[in-house]
Amino acid sequence: MKVRAAVLEQFDRPLVVQELDLAEPRAGEALVRLVACGVCHTDMYTASGADPSGYAPTVLGHEGAGVVERVGEGVESVSAGDHVVTLFSPQCRKCVHCLDPRTNLCLAIREQQNRGYLPDGTTRLSHEGEPIRHFMGTSTFCEYTVMPEIALAKIDPEAPLDRACLFACGLSTGLGAAMFTAGVTPGSTCAVFGAGMVGLGVVAGCRLRSAERIICVDPSARRLALARGQGATDCWDADGHAVERILEATGGAGADYVFEATGLVSVMAEAVQATRMAWGLCTIIGVAGKGETLEIVPRLLITGRRVCGSSFGGVKGRDQVPELIDLYMRGQLHVDPFISHRMPLHEVNSAFDLMAAQDGIRSVLMYDGV
């Protein structure tokens, strides 16, 4: 079938919206008609050429939601008409990682997915006979996509898909970092560095975990106002004195749980320093630039602080993304404030420009005929 898609032809160049060929789903795969797709920083990061694992040509996009149109042989968990969220972090429910509650990093298709291929080592996208690789196993900057069954989360059909798409990456990453990776406990003090999509999700996750105090640090007054709406009790400007202020506010001890959601190595170092001695946990979520490293004074660790990383918030996608969306449907999550702009596919480069200018939290692509 013919589909319109935004193709990354060359790094550090605008995406090109063009017509591609999309083959039918094979065994274990499903054809999904995309309804909405969030434009995430990871898409822009890859398009810039800064991602050392990036490749081109490819169809970017991974924060999608849509409706299953057809399924390939052997597919049992989704069927035509199901509403789904796309998962760049799949869940096969069979590998050693999927069976272990300590991680969400499924091993089933990881090698091929990292190379831009579907599980059988081929692509379904092509242009004039030349294969186009699948970005993060999803390629949702496209009217339709073919994906592995294990990378689709079946969701409540009543959930608005322009909101549900945010759970495909940014929102779930933040929520999960607080709720699953860190496991924030009731009555605790939390500090969140960064109030973008992920940081705001962290704030909401801390609130849902009944944290007593949630400090959010960001240079944007507008974003801090959104953080307060998600449950932050203290909203501070990132003026270079956040560590001192957090220590002062906690009697010199530091916050029980600290989250870094900026991708800046300098901020990661601040987050570690602001973490409570004895039992504090610092969770690094942001993606640092190519070749950057994080230096930590060992004494911060031998006095009890712990540092961990979080991918997709530790969320086991097929099982837990529907549960997170149910929280939204029950009114426990405020998702509408995250959506700053809605636009058609052909304006995808404008969405990158808005992101670079830090204009709003999330632009959502809305596909024709919806």
Side-chain angles (χ1 to χ4, degrees):
M1 64 187 296
K2 300 289 185 180
V3 296
R4 287 187 312 133
V7 181
L8 172 65
E9 294 186 334
Q10 298 181 58
F11 295 121
D12 201 26
R13 294 288 188 275
L15 303 188
V16 179
V17 177
Q18 58 188 266
E19 188 175 78
L20 302 180
D21 291 302
L22 179 65
E24 289 294 311
R26 297 181 184 176
E29 300 171 357
L31 172 69
V32 178
R33 174 175 61 85
L34 277 306
V35 171
C37 179
V39 180
C40 176
H41 183 271
T42 303
D43 300 307
M44 187 169 72
Y45 176 66
T46 298
S48 72
D51 183 356
S53 63
Y55 42 79
T58 185
V59 174
L60 295 179
H62 62 286
E63 205 171 73
V67 182
V68 174
E69 293 274 303
R70 290 189 290 281
V71 299
E73 180 183 352
V75 172
E76 297 180 350
S77 64
V78 296
S79 56
D82 286 343
H83 287 209
V84 292
V85 162
T86 61
L87 301 172
F88 72 90
S89 182
Q91 183 190 1
C92 72
R93 296 176 175 153
K94 296 178 181 178
C95 73
V96 64
H97 281 187
C98 282
L99 296 175
D100 195 311
R102 293 175 295 181
T103 183
N104 64 327
L105 297 179
C106 176
L107 299 172
I109 60 175
R110 193 173 184 83
E111 182 178 354
Q112 294 293 351
Q113 180 177 323
N114 287 346
R115 297 170 58 205
Y117 299 115
L118 292 182
D120 67 357
T122 66
T123 74
R124 303 293 164 269
L125 290 162
S126 63
H127 182 248
E128 297 180 349
E130 294 298 317
I132 303 290
R133 285 197 270 179
H134 299 253
F135 178 65
M136 298 178 74
T138 54
S139 287
T140 52
F141 286 176
C142 191
E143 295 172 316
Y144 291 80
T145 190
V146 170
M147 291 185 55
E149 170 189 17
I150 64 172
L152 294 170
K154 181 179 175 180
I155 65 169
D156 182 350
E158 297 300 316
L161 292 172
D162 59 338
R163 280 77 153 186
C165 70
L166 304 184
F167 291 86
C169 181
L171 185 49
S172 290
T173 295
L175 288 166
M179 299 171 69
F180 307 134
T181 301
V184 169
T185 54
S188 58
T189 295
C190 302
V192 183
F193 286 80
M197 176 86 261
V198 173
L200 292 170
V202 172
V203 170
C206 292
R207 171 180 56 82
L208 289 167
R209 285 289 186 171
S210 301
E212 182 176 335
R213 190 171 190 182
I214 305 170
I215 301 166
C216 189
V217 181
D218 194 275
S220 167
R222 214 164 166 190
R223 291 188 172 192
L224 289 174
L226 291 171
R228 191 172 295 280
Q230 294 297 329
T233 58
D234 303 79
C235 296
W236 297 345
D237 177 46
D239 57 3
H241 301 289
V243 174
E244 294 90 334
R245 292 186 69 184
I246 291 170
L247 293 175
E248 181 181 356
T250 56
D256 301 305
Y257 299 94
V258 180
F259 301 87
E260 180 283 326
T262 70
L264 301 173
V265 171
S266 59
V267 178
M268 295 177 188
E270 288 185 276
V272 176
Q273 295 165 32
T275 302
R276 183 184 176 90
M277 65 178 295
W279 62 67
L281 176 63
C282 178
T283 302
I284 305 295
I285 313 168
V287 178
K290 181 180 180 180
E292 292 186 312
T293 59
L294 172 62
E295 293 186 4
I296 300 175
V297 177
R299 182 163 294 278
L300 293 175
L301 302 180
I302 63 175
T303 48
R305 297 167 185 84
R306 294 168 295 141
V307 180
C308 73
S310 181
S311 175
F312 194 43
V315 175
K316 290 184 182 287
R318 294 166 77 192
D319 293 341
Q320 293 177 314
V321 163
E323 294 173 359
L324 294 176
I325 290 176
D326 286 345
L327 290 175
Y328 159 64
M329 295 298 287
R330 295 199 298 268
Q332 295 177 254
L333 275 173
H334 312 300
V335 175
D336 288 8
F338 297 136
I339 302 177
S340 310
H341 309 276
R342 291 179 175 84
M343 57 189 65
L345 176 63
H346 68 264
E347 294 183 17
V348 61
N349 291 303
S350 296
F352 282 166
D353 292 340
L354 290 167
M355 187 183 303
Q358 295 191 351
D359 184 337
I361 299 300
R362 201 49 120 229
S363 294
V364 174
L365 303 177
M366 303 297 297
Y367 294 93
D368 292 345
V370 178

